């Protein structure tokens, strides 16, 4: 089996993942959290386990239920997200929780305005644009421009897959989502560079071999490293999903999607795209 000769098959698998995500993104959009939409986040710890069903009637009674979300966490902790609350509304909610459910400890009471959300969104796009531009310059200097284009195409694949699946799964998008995307970009480009480096090394040693054979063998030579690296990262992320608590679960699932996509694109997309770009430019 030659991985490069099967490249259309790898592209097809990517499309089968990307298309449902894009459909969800354009029809449903992202589930923005209060970092982007503005609102209040109250985190309280009770002396006994509490379910969201016990809190929901109080939110209805105080007319705070619209758009609100309640999440439980380890240690009898409850996260309540609502529209932006005034100090009076916040005090009434905390007093009501104490009266109806029991003694509580206030861990967090944060307010984020929509203006901050817009700023965060703009900074996210700007951060990614700067990261992509710097990587194009670096890879072009170290390798060549076609390698840079192939690497950026693979990174774009990872971003689209991650954002699309986050939309499809309805995961909440908070400020940490930006950090997750940038981390995924860093992880994916690192794996891609390792494979590109081996291709460049083998191009000098195996000048008589067909280009697709050189790339195929280069991928195989780095395959064990790529798989071992991604598996160790996946094990850690799965452990965090199970034991890390609800507050970071969406962030960790986003990371997990991105890491798997990054490993796939580094092996099955980046090098085949470079192969196609080289064939197009030399034909």
């Amino acid at each position: 089996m030659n991985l490069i000769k099967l490249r259309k098959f790898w592209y097809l698998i990517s499309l089968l993942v990307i298309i449902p995500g894009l459909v969800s993104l354009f029809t449903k959009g992202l589930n923005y959290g209060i970092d982007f939409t503005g609102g209040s986040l109250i985190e309280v710890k009770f002396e006994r386990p509490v379910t969201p069903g016990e809190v929901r009637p109080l939110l209805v009674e105080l007319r705070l239920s619209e758009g609100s979300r309640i999440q439980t966490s380890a240690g009898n902790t409850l996260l309540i997200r609502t529209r932006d609350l005034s100090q009076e509304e916040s005090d009434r909610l905390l007093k009501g929780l104490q009266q109806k459910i029991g003694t509580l400890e206030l861990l967090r009471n944060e307010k984020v305005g929509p203006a901050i959300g817009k700023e965060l969104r703009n900074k996210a796009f700007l951060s990614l644009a700067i990261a992509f531009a710097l990587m194009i310059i670096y890879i072009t200097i170290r390798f060549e421009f076609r390698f840079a284009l192939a690497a950026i195409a693979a990174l774009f694949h990872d971003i689209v897959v991650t954002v699309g699946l986050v939309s499809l799964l309805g995961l909440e998008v908070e400020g940490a989502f930006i950090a997750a995307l940038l981390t995924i970009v860093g992880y994916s480009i690192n794996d891609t560079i390792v494979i590109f480096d081996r291709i460049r090394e083998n191009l000098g040693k195996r000048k008589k071999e067909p280009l697709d054979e050189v790339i195929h063998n280069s991928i195989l030579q780095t395959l064990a490293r790529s798989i071992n690296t991604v598996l160790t990262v996946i094990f850690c992320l799965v452990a965090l999903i199970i034991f890390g608590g609800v507050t970071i679960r969406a962030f960790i699932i986003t990371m997990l999607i991105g890491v798997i996509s990054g490993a796939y694109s580094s092996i099955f997309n980046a090098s085949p795209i470079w192969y196609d770009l080289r064939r197009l430019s030399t034909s």
Side-chain angles (χ1 to χ4, degrees):
M1 182 179 72
N2 185 309
L3 293 172
I4 300 304
K5 287 180 178 173
L6 290 172
R7 63 189 183 283
K8 291 180 181 175
F9 177 70
W10 312 130
Y11 296 156
L12 179 64
I13 291 177
S14 291
L15 283 176
L16 289 176
V17 177
I18 287 172
I19 289 173
L22 284 179
V23 170
S24 173
L25 193 61
F26 286 114
T27 56
K28 196 169 71 170
L30 290 171
N31 178 21
Y32 288 113
I34 63 170
D35 284 354
F36 290 92
T37 60
S40 292
L41 171 64
I42 296 175
E43 184 175 7
V44 288
K45 183 177 182 180
F46 292 94
E47 291 182 339
R48 65 173 179 84
V50 180
T51 64
E54 293 178 79
V55 179
R56 182 67 62 189
L58 177 64
L59 292 179
V60 173
E61 182 185 324
L62 298 175
R63 298 181 180 177
L64 303 175
S65 60
E66 188 177 353
S68 66
R69 273 173 292 170
I70 306 166
Q71 287 178 293
T72 55
S73 184
N76 303 334
T77 303
L78 210 66
L79 277 168
I80 305 171
R81 291 175 170 84
T82 66
R83 61 171 172 77
D84 194 10
L85 300 181
S86 65
Q87 186 61 48
E88 185 186 349
E89 289 174 320
S90 177
D91 291 342
R92 277 196 289 132
L93 176 57
L94 291 171
K95 188 178 177 183
L97 288 171
Q98 197 147 12
Q99 287 175 345
K100 292 183 182 297
I101 297 175
T103 305
L104 61 85
E105 178 189 354
L106 178 62
L107 302 178
R108 267 197 293 175
N109 190 352
E110 298 175 356
K111 295 175 73 170
V112 181
I116 296 176
K118 187 178 178 183
E119 185 184 343
L120 275 174
R121 216 164 18 220
N122 292 339
K123 283 185 177 178
F125 287 122
L126 183 63
S127 301
L128 284 173
I130 291 172
F132 277 27
L134 291 176
M135 279 187 276
I136 287 175
I137 294 170
Y138 170 73
I139 297 169
T140 301
I141 293 171
R142 186 172 172 187
F143 297 92
E144 62 173 37
F145 185 58
R146 285 171 298 199
F147 274 118
L149 288 181
I152 294 302
L155 289 180
F156 189 70
H157 163 278
D158 300 334
I159 296 292
V160 173
V161 166
T162 304
V163 175
L165 290 184
V166 164
S167 170
L168 196 65
L169 297 173
L171 298 176
E172 189 173 54
V173 175
E174 296 282 6
F177 180 73
I178 299 165
L181 288 185
L182 290 172
T183 307
I184 290 162
V185 167
Y187 172 85
S188 179
I189 195 68
N190 177 59
D191 213 23
T192 303
I193 290 291
V194 169
I195 297 172
F196 282 175
D197 210 27
R198 186 56 59 91
I199 292 172
R200 184 179 60 174
E201 186 182 323
N202 285 335
L203 282 173
K205 292 179 183 175
R206 305 181 178 196
K207 294 179 180 176
K208 293 182 180 177
E209 284 185 24
L211 183 59
D212 62 304
E213 286 289 336
V214 174
I215 300 172
H216 169 74
N217 288 323
S218 301
I219 294 172
L220 290 187
Q221 287 169 10
T222 56
L223 194 61
R225 175 204 171 277
S226 298
I227 292 174
N228 288 337
T229 303
V230 74
L231 281 179
T232 52
V233 176
I234 287 173
F235 292 154
C236 293
L237 293 176
V238 169
L240 282 171
I241 289 171
I242 297 171
F243 302 109
V246 70
T247 53
I248 61 168
R249 190 160 294 155
F251 169 74
I252 300 299
I253 293 174
T254 303
M255 286 284 296
L256 183 62
I257 294 169
V259 165
I260 294 171
S261 173
Y264 181 86
S265 69
S266 297
I267 298 169
F268 299 108
N269 289 150
S271 301
I273 289 172
W274 176 76
Y275 174 75
D276 283 330
L277 288 174
R278 182 159 166 151
R279 283 179 66 235
L280 284 172
S281 60
T282 54
S283 61

